[in-house]
């Protein structure tokens, strides 16, 4: 006779499908939790979430809007993934995002060239601005042994204050401007729309390109292999000829450049101005996107799209259901929390054990 | 005349330094115990913010500062204990869960603040903050009395806690056990002492301190809640611990330096310093990086900081 027993055991690897299911469960739980919160506050949460859905996917225009919102998140998500894959805990994406947009804006204040030259220059400046700040954190680590988390967090604040100074001193602000924001970015520096009448701009295409490039770079190249090896075991990686100092600086520069591109994509594709509030929060949202996507570039594209849809739908929900769109950043964090908790549960599985008696 | 004026400004600047130092000191001392216990908790910023938010709304709802204070502390403990569940019991990556707590706190408090803003009809009520308590006798000492002994009760408590925590960590068996958690948790475990129980306790203490710090911020230093009002103080606490090399007295020193920079910034324009205020506000952060570049002494960083304890 055979008796079946069930035993809980640990899986070796959750796998792609497991990760996907886990993300879906986390998102569903987050909707339930925030739905309860809205109900408690006296909102009709079904109507609110219906407005969210319509705002995100209701029409082709809204889908385009969701994609536009997703683009900077994809960049900051990739920036996080590059650093975390190498197990370098940089949380400087927010500051690097600002730095990229700021350096690009700096060029537009004196460049006076046609769009065909200005736009590529602006994009390069964004990567350069973010990359320099990322590289600075790398140098601070390798040369002076300053903890990466500390230097990246501190630089986030320092850059925020620098922008605040450039605005309040009116170096970047018109004398009669009331709000703390720069002058409008000139037409020839803005990222062009992908086709006539489209809402999608060049930045969205760049984000897709970056996702593919990073996928190939991480998974199919020697550099990507070295990076992952370094993240797995820096000591062993050293024996394989990977120089840790160089790796840290390169990874942080690349990560910073990606975040900087995110800043350019948002400022030069959507806002057409710089302000402290316009770019706020993309760094932290990118971190959530990257973690939920398991630090995989292609998945980052998908999760960024979901988060972009949440942001786009949230604005519509604010108008239609009078729910402050600030709920969206809370929801993003709730999704992360549920994802982390379910990741523990998904590590285990029930296995049937047959015994002969 | 001008000499008197200068003196008045200096007194007010140093008095502000001590005042500003209090919440920073409370949260740093709490986080010190947490980190000594081997838990690398980056969510103090969020914990403090949630506590400030709760303390404010509880005191508005109950019209009692003491209920607000208590509610803030309870919230701080609750947030810290959720970290305990996630990090100690579920062994989730401590770095990411800490960041998650910060993001959740900033999103949730912003959302709830905006909703309450609508509820209150566009203007949130102010509270009457805690008054300062002049210590009899001591506050009469010229200059020093005004700077040190005419402060909030929480300020005295914060400075006293430095001594208490020092004595606890270095002069008691429980303190030794907490330090052992960060250095060699296995040694405790093999002696039959609960690792996770002590880590929960350390986090509960950290939560009390962070909750108190958040409550002080809103109930003693201002008169209302403002979104993201912690403004990086939780992060600064983590920097202060690194700069203070995980030791109570150097941490006190680091807190005073950072508090002085902020106090100086508040006064600088009044004295006619023509430096952009953003530079002064950024100084603590620049200073933190520079301070860390100069660190040459032996690091006291707990060996097992951030490493979840697994029994083999």
């Amino acid at each position: 006779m055979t008796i079946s027993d069930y035993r809980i055991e640990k899986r070796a690897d959750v796998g792609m499908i497991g990760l996907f299911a886990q993300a879906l469960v986390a998102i569903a739980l987050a909707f339930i939790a925030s739905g309860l919160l809205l109900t408690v506050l006296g909102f009709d949460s079904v109507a609110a979430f219906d407005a969210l859905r319509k705002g995100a996917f209701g029409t082709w225009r809204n889908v385009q809007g969701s994609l536009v919102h997703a683009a900077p998140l994809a960049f900051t998500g990739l920036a996080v993934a590059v650093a975390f894959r190498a197990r370098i805990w940089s949380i400087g994406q927010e500051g690097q995002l600002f730095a990229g947009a700021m350096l690009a804006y700096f060029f537009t204040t004196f460049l006076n060239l046609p769009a065909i030259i200005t736009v590529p220059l602006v994009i390069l400046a964004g990567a350069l601005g973010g990359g320099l700040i990322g590289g600075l954190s790398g140098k601070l680590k390798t040369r002076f042994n300053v903890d990466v988390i500390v230097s990246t967090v501190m630089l986030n604040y320092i850059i925020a204050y620098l922008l605040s100074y450039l605005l309040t001193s009116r170096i970047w602000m018109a004398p009669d401007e009331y709000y703390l924001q720069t002058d409008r970015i000139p037409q020839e520096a803005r990222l062009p729309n992908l086709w006539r009448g489209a809402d999608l701009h060049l930045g969205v295409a760049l984000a897709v390109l970056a996702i593919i490039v990073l996928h190939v770079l991480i998974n199919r190249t020697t550099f990507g292999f070295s990076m992952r090896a370094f993240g797995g075991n820096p000591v062993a990686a050293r024996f394989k000829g990977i120089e840790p100092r160089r790796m840290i600086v390169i990874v942080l520069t690349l990560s910073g450049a990606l975040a900087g591109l995110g800043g350019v994509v948002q400022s030069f594709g959507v806002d057409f101005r710089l302000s402290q509030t316009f770019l706020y929060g993309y760094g932290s949202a990118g971190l959530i996107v990257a973690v939920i996507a398991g630090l995989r570039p292609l998945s980052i594209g998908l999760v960024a799209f979901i988060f972009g849809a949440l942001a786009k739908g949230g604005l519509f929900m604010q108008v239609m259901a009078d729910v402050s769109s600030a709920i969206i950043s809370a929801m993003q964090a709730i999704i992360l929390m549920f994802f982390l908790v379910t990741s523990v549960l998904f590590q285990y599985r029930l296995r049937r054990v047959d015994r002969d008696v | 005349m001008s000499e008197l004026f200068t003196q008045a400004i200096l007194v007010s600047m140093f008095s502000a330094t001590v005042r500003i130092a209090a919440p920073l000191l409370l949260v740093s001392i709490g986080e010190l115990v947490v980190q000594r216990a081997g838990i690398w908790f980056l969510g103090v910023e969020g914990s403090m913010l949630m506590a400030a938010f709760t303390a404010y709304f509880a005191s508005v709802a109950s019209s009692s500062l003491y209920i607000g204070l208590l509610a803030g502390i309870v919230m701080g403990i609750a947030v810290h204990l959720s970290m305990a569940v996630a990090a100690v019991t579920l062994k989730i990556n401590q770095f990411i869960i800490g960041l998650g707590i910060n993001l959740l706190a900033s999103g949730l408090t912003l959302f709830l603040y905006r909703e309450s803003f609508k509820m209150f009809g566009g203007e949130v009520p102010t509270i009457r903050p805690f008054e300062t308590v002049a210590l009899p006798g001591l506050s009469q000492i010229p200059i020093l009395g005004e700077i040190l002994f005419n402060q909030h009760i929480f300020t005295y408590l914060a400075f006293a806690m430095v001594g208490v925590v020092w004595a606890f960590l270095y002069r008691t068996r429980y303190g030794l056990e907490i330090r052992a958690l960060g250095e060699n948790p296995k040694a405790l475990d093999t002696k039959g002492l609960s690792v996770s129980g002590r880590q929960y306790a350390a986090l509960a203490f950290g939560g009390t301190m962070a909750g108190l710090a958040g409550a002080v911020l809103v109930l003693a230093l201002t008169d209302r809640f403002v979104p993201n009002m912690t403004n990086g103080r939780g992060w600064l606490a983590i920097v202060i611990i690194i700069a203070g090399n995980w030791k109570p007295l150097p941490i006190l020193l680091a807190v005073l330096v950072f508090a002085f920079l902020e106090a100086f910034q508040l006064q600088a324009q009044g004295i006619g310093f023509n430096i952009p205020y953003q530079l002064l506000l950024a100084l603590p952060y620049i200073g933190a990086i520079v301070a860390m570049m100069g660190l040459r002494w032996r690091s006291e960083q707990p060996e097992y900081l951030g490493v979840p304890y697994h029994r083999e």
Side-chain angles (χ1 to χ4, degrees):
Chain A
M1 200 179 97
T2 315
I3 292 179
S4 295
D5 251 351
Y6 287 93
R7 197 186 294 165
I8 297 171
E9 59 181 37
K10 221 168 175 169
R11 292 172 209 262
D13 185 17
V14 181
M16 268 302 265
I17 294 166
L19 206 63
F20 192 72
Q22 196 189 316
L24 282 184
V25 170
I27 291 171
L29 287 174
F31 266 97
I32 294 170
S34 30
L36 282 175
L37 177 66
L38 289 180
T39 310
V40 168
L41 291 174
F43 289 104
D44 179 351
S45 46
V46 176
F49 288 146
D50 195 48
L52 182 75
R53 182 190 56 80
K54 279 197 191 115
F57 306 113
T59 65
W60 167 231
R61 254 201 123 75
N62 294 12
V63 175
Q64 289 188 55
S66 295
L67 284 165
V68 167
H69 275 91
L73 295 177
F75 276 110
T76 46
L78 291 171
V80 172
V82 167
F84 284 17
R85 268 299 182 84
R87 293 188 80 80
I88 300 172
W89 306 117
S90 160
I91 18 185
Q93 294 78 29
E94 189 94 9
Q96 292 150 3
L97 176 99
F98 273 99
M102 284 161 69
L103 190 64
Y105 184 81
F106 173 67
F107 280 119
T108 63
T109 54
F110 58 84
L111 275 184
N112 208 349
L113 298 163
I116 193 86
I117 303 167
T118 311
V119 168
L121 273 178
V122 155
I123 292 168
L124 278 178
L128 185 66
L132 282 175
I133 298 297
L136 175 63
S137 284
K139 274 283 171 203
L140 282 169
K141 172 69 194 169
T142 56
R143 182 77 69 85
F144 300 104
N145 201 22
V146 176
D147 188 77
V148 173
I149 297 179
V150 171
S151 73
T152 50
V153 171
M154 297 303 114
L155 282 166
N156 285 348
Y157 285 103
I158 294 168
I159 291 161
Y161 284 125
L162 177 61
L163 177 59
S164 164
Y165 168 69
L166 289 168
L167 293 175
T168 56
S169 66
R170 309 217 163 237
I171 293 173
W172 276 3
M173 210 168 108
D176 56 345
E177 178 63 60
Y178 175 72
Y179 295 104
L180 276 181
Q181 55 185 20
T182 63
D183 302 338
R184 280 176 86 79
I185 289 167
Q187 195 67 48
E188 69 272 8
R190 298 180 189 179
L191 302 184
N193 290 343
L194 285 181
W195 60 85
R196 187 187 289 274
D199 288 337
L200 298 181
H201 57 76
L202 183 62
V204 181
L206 283 177
V208 174
L209 186 68
I211 288 165
I212 296 167
V213 168
L214 263 293
H215 173 72
V216 173
L217 182 77
I218 291 178
N219 297 307
R220 302 262 189 279
T221 65
T222 324
F223 173 74
F225 172 77
S226 312
M227 203 181 95
R228 285 179 290 142
F230 178 78
N233 186 343
V235 181
R238 194 164 198 167
F239 287 110
K240 293 190 187 110
I242 298 165
E243 227 285 280
R245 287 166 186 277
R246 257 193 70 202
M247 187 50 87
I248 290 171
V249 175
I250 291 175
V251 165
L252 283 173
T253 307
L254 176 62
S255 168
L258 286 163
L261 283 172
V264 162
V265 160
Q266 183 61 23
S267 305
F268 288 71
V270 178
D271 302 331
F272 306 133
R273 290 176 189 275
L274 259 59
S275 91
Q276 292 199 286
T277 49
F278 288 164
L279 289 177
Y280 180 79
Y282 284 103
S284 45
L287 187 126
I288 303 180
V289 166
V291 169
I292 292 176
L295 308 180
R296 292 180 173 94
L298 297 182
S299 311
I300 285 174
L302 182 65
V303 179
F305 176 63
I306 295 171
F307 273 47
L310 272 175
K312 171 80 176 95
L315 295 174
F316 192 70
M317 179 168 75
Q318 175 158 311
V319 178
M320 299 306 289
D322 198 30
V323 178
S324 161
S325 64
I327 185 84
I328 298 303
S329 53
M331 277 179 76
Q332 292 173 344
I334 296 171
I335 293 175
L336 173 69
M337 298 309 239
F338 279 121
F339 182 83
L340 292 174
V341 174
T342 51
S343 72
V344 176
L345 302 177
F346 271 69
Q347 277 172 11
Y348 296 93
R349 64 174 166 198
L350 275 179
R351 213 181 71 151
R352 208 172 79 175
V353 188
D354 293 333
R355 276 188 298 151
D356 287 323
V357 283
Chain B
M1 178 67 204
S2 100
E3 213 165 89
L4 263 179
F5 183 67
T6 317
Q7 187 189 320
I9 282 190
L10 281 177
V11 166
S12 133
M13 196 149 68
F14 283 111
S15 161
T17 302
V18 174
R19 191 171 60 239
I20 291 167
L24 206 50
L25 198 52
L26 287 168
V27 71
S28 304
I29 285 292
E31 175 75 1
L32 170 68
V33 172
V34 169
Q35 293 205 1
R36 279 291 190 164
I39 307 286
W40 195 41
F41 185 38
L42 298 185
V44 265
E45 174 88 10
S47 191
M48 223 174 137
L49 185 61
M50 294 280 280
F53 177 86
T54 314
Y56 168 74
F57 278 96
S59 50
V60 166
S62 67
S63 356
S64 158
L65 289 178
Y66 294 96
I67 291 185
L69 184 67
L70 190 68
I73 293 173
V74 169
M75 180 50 88
I77 295 174
V79 174
H80 268 64
L81 284 186
S82 70
M83 173 67 183
V85 173
V88 179
T89 306
L90 299 177
K91 303 193 198 308
I92 299 172
N93 183 319
Q94 296 184 5
F95 166 76
I96 290 173
I97 199 90
L99 292 179
I101 286 174
N102 286 340
L103 297 177
L104 184 61
S106 98
L108 206 56
T109 52
L110 178 65
F111 168 67
L112 292 174
Y113 175 82
R114 293 235 174 109
E115 290 305 326
S116 68
F117 201 71
K118 280 192 271 180
M119 219 164 62
F120 286 124
E123 196 170 352
V124 293
T126 56
I127 50 163
R128 261 193 58 177
F130 280 106
E131 312 245 339
T132 55
V133 181
L135 293 187
L138 289 172
S139 59
Q140 303 304 317
I141 305 171
I143 301 179
L144 271 186
E146 182 59 28
I147 293 172
L148 295 176
F149 302 114
N150 190 12
Q151 297 283 356
H152 290 103
I153 190 98
F154 312 107
T155 309
Y156 306 128
L157 177 68
F159 280 84
M161 282 314 286
V162 179
V164 171
V165 165
W166 177 86
F168 170 76
L169 283 178
Y170 294 99
R171 291 288 179 271
T172 70
R173 192 166 59 87
Y174 299 111
L176 180 69
E177 285 169 10
I178 291 285
R179 285 188 292 140
L181 286 175
E183 298 297 346
N184 189 356
K186 197 167 181 179
L188 278 186
D189 197 24
T190 45
K191 285 185 76 179
L193 301 172
S194 161
V195 170
S196 56
R198 280 169 184 74
Q199 290 183 327
Y200 267 75
L203 275 160
F205 175 74
T208 311
M209 292 289 108
L212 190 58
V216 166
L217 213 51
V218 74
L219 301 179
L221 298 189
T222 49
D223 59 357
R224 78 191 73 185
F225 179 82
V226 184
N228 283 324
M229 69 182 302
T230 42
N231 198 21
R233 281 183 182 81
W235 284 110
L236 210 51
I238 288 160
V239 174
I240 282 167
I241 288 168
I242 300 173
N245 203 17
W246 287 268
K247 288 192 273 191
L249 295 177
I251 283 174
L252 170 64
L253 193 68
V255 165
L256 288 175
V257 170
F258 284 125
F260 174 74
L261 283 171
E262 199 179 328
F264 181 70
Q265 174 270 131
L266 292 170
Q267 298 276 352
Q269 273 160 339
I271 332 173
F273 265 101
N274 241 341
I275 329 172
Y277 73 91
Q278 291 96 342
L279 178 64
L280 293 167
L281 281 175
L283 266 182
Y285 305 102
I286 299 169
I289 292 180
V290 174
M292 241 150 277
M293 287 167 66
L295 286 190
R296 287 284 176 269
W297 58 74
R298 192 175 70 86
S299 175
E300 290 274 320
Q301 175 173 349
E303 190 70 28
Y304 278 77
L305 184 60
V307 184
Y309 178 68
H310 290 275
R311 188 183 276 176
E312 263 95 77

